[in-house]
Amino acid sequence: MDRSELVELLSPEGLRLLDSLPPYHSNSDVVRMVSDLRKAGHPPALVAAVLTQARLRSKAAGKFGPFAGRMLFTEAGLEQATRLSVAALHAGRYAAAGLSRVVDLGCGIGGDAMAMAAIDLEVTAVDADEITAAIASYNLAPFANASVVNENAEDVELRGFDGVYLDPARRTAGHGQTTRLTDPDDYSPSLNFAFELATGRSVGVKLGPGLDRDLIPTTAEAQWISVDGHLVEMGLWFGALARPRIRRSALVVDATGSHELTAPEDSEDVEAGELGDYLYEPDGAVIRARLIGDLARSLGARMLSDGIAYLTSSTLVPTPFASAFRVLETLPFAERDLKRALRERGIGTLEIKKRGVDVDPSALRKRLSLSGRESATLVLTRIAGRHTALLVDRLG
């Protein structure tokens, strides 16, 4: 999106036209809508702008639910935006810490700022990109306690704020397709700036879940968050936002709500033991937070193998922090023998999970030439150092 497209979109005609469009479902809808809108006499640039927004609103429903239908987006802004359910948890942390005036540096399309404003925090949202700041202004317009500033994060005067939220841009600049930055020094603003900002202040920093753990300051509470089984972010919390005696947290958000596992430090793994009747695969947030040992102890489970994130036990204990499987049988690991075993069992649909083995599940599935009416889950891993194939039944 460029400036002229934004002007077209934000015009009274543009907003009325956007809100009048039917729900976007597929590319075939676009062909029909373009034809109808052009016949109605709307300019090509305006048609393009509103149809792009219709597509992005449809795509954004997974992150913002019904709120997506009244928001504006850029492609890159939506990609990097915090899910509304997670943004609400961020906002709640500021409220719980007694912070009421928050500056959101690198606000993007304004998702986190919306969640803060919705619980009556006074929030100033800042973004260096003119178009992104304008989009955020539109999204935050319903909130009298929110304002937007088009400025570099490094130049913002922080006096008057008791809390800071920082979401460094971790992708290349632009509003469309962007690429991920791998060096924290290339973030905008840089990770060093974020950590310096956190000295003596109450600061929250949103980062990718795969950030090198060696970069985490000892003064921070590090929290990894997964949503519906997908690891989505790591948050670092400083000052009043860091909870006492908690330095590691795994937060799992699913249809039943949010569930948290916390500890003052990385937990020690439990010992490995023999395969039991049940297998557990810890959630990605638990693995990244290195709280597998604490989870195992809560389940009465043991490691399936040293250094591999599978747990096993003889009893089933329901938990939101791991996927559970019933172990049906051990199959041959050798591909030829495995293929024969699956064919004998009539398995035509196969989920393949693996840890600790060098296997490409997609390529293996093709080579197995599956056929049959049955479906199953296959776990490829190591037990006591030996490559093992387990046929399991997913529970729940």
Side-chain angles (χ1 to χ4, degrees):
M1 179 185 296
D2 59 27
R3 197 173 189 279
S4 63
E5 290 174 326
L6 181 64
V7 170
E8 290 271 11
L9 180 62
L10 292 177
S11 68
E13 180 188 3
L15 293 175
R16 281 196 302 269
L17 184 59
L18 174 60
D19 290 337
S20 72
L21 294 179
Y24 177 101
H25 295 295
S26 66
N27 288 335
S28 62
D29 292 340
V30 174
V31 176
R32 175 181 50 80
M33 285 192 284
V34 167
S35 176
D36 291 345
L37 293 175
R38 292 296 300 278
K39 286 179 180 177
H42 297 291
L46 179 58
V47 171
V50 297
L51 288 181
T52 295
Q53 286 303 311
R55 177 178 60 81
L56 291 175
R57 281 181 170 183
S58 175
K59 186 177 178 181
K63 283 189 173 183
F64 293 95
F67 294 96
R70 60 147 302 272
M71 296 174 66
L72 298 181
F73 303 93
T74 65
E75 192 84 48
L78 175 57
E79 176 71 24
Q80 299 174 64
T82 305
R83 289 162 176 79
L84 194 57
S85 58
V86 176
L89 295 170
H90 293 165
R93 186 182 283 256
Y94 284 85
L99 306 176
S100 59
R101 298 181 308 279
V102 182
V103 59
D104 179 358
L105 302 178
C107 69
I109 62 170
D112 275 292
M114 286 172 58
M116 293 176 186
I119 59 170
D120 295 329
L121 300 181
E122 183 181 330
V123 57
T124 298
V126 179
D127 203 278
D129 182 79
E130 179 186 18
I131 290 175
T132 302
I135 294 289
S137 294
Y138 179 87
N139 292 336
L140 287 164
F143 301 98
N145 53 328
S147 59
V148 178
V149 176
N150 177 207
E151 191 173 1
N152 290 323
E154 296 90 337
D155 299 330
V156 175
E157 173 55 61
L158 297 179
R159 282 183 298 182
F161 298 106
D162 54 14
V164 180
Y165 183 72
L166 182 61
D167 184 359
R170 300 181 299 281
R171 302 183 72 89
T172 53
H175 306 120
Q177 297 298 323
T178 58
T179 57
R180 192 176 302 278
L181 298 170
T182 57
D183 187 345
D185 289 337
D186 294 331
Y187 294 174
S188 180
S190 70
L191 199 56
N192 283 335
F193 170 82
F195 290 164
E196 288 175 6
L197 200 66
T199 303
R201 293 189 180 91
S202 296
V203 174
V205 185
K206 175 187 171 182
L207 296 164
L211 183 80
D212 184 349
R213 295 172 99 264
D214 291 339
L215 298 176
I216 300 173
T218 57
T219 55
E221 174 192 333
Q223 182 183 65
W224 285 264
I225 301 178
S226 74
V227 178
D228 296 330
H230 300 285
L231 191 58
V232 296
E233 69 172 64
M234 177 183 69
L236 295 181
W237 304 99
F238 300 84
L241 294 165
R243 294 168 293 179
R245 296 176 296 281
I246 295 178
R247 286 296 175 265
R248 296 291 179 264
S249 162
L251 184 64
V252 174
V253 181
D254 59 23
T256 66
S258 59
H259 315 272
E260 190 176 26
L261 194 62
T262 64
E265 59 187 0
D266 296 356
S267 70
E268 292 186 10
D269 287 347
V270 297
E271 292 185 356
E274 64 179 17
L275 176 66
D277 295 327
Y278 299 95
L279 183 73
Y280 297 93
E281 181 182 32
D283 185 90
V286 175
I287 295 173
R288 289 299 304 177
R290 293 187 184 170
L291 298 180
I292 299 173
D294 285 351
L295 174 60
R297 282 180 280 272
S298 73
L299 299 174
R302 50 196 174 271
M303 304 291 290
L304 190 60
S305 186
D306 290 335
I308 296 178
Y310 281 132
L311 304 174
T312 187
S313 71
S314 299
T315 57
L316 177 64
V317 179
T319 175
F321 300 111
S323 298
F325 304 84
R326 179 182 289 106
V327 178
L328 301 177
E329 58 181 314
T330 300
L331 298 182
F333 188 86
E335 189 172 312
R336 183 181 62 182
D337 298 331
L338 177 60
K339 182 176 181 178
R340 182 186 306 113
L342 294 172
R343 183 183 300 116
E344 290 172 353
R345 288 156 179 80
I347 295 173
T349 303
L350 186 67
E351 175 190 24
I352 301 176
K353 305 184 72 64
K354 60 105 175 185
R355 291 190 184 277
V357 296
D358 185 15
V359 173
D360 180 342
S362 297
L364 174 61
R365 189 180 293 105
K366 290 180 180 179
R367 294 196 302 271
L368 290 173
S369 302
L370 300 168
S371 63
R373 296 183 178 181
E374 301 298 321
S375 60
T377 299
L378 183 71
V379 175
L380 303 177
T381 187
R382 295 199 311 269
I383 301 179
R386 297 182 59 185
H387 287 84
T388 304
L390 301 174
L391 194 65
V392 301
D393 180 27
R394 181 184 285 274
L395 303 175

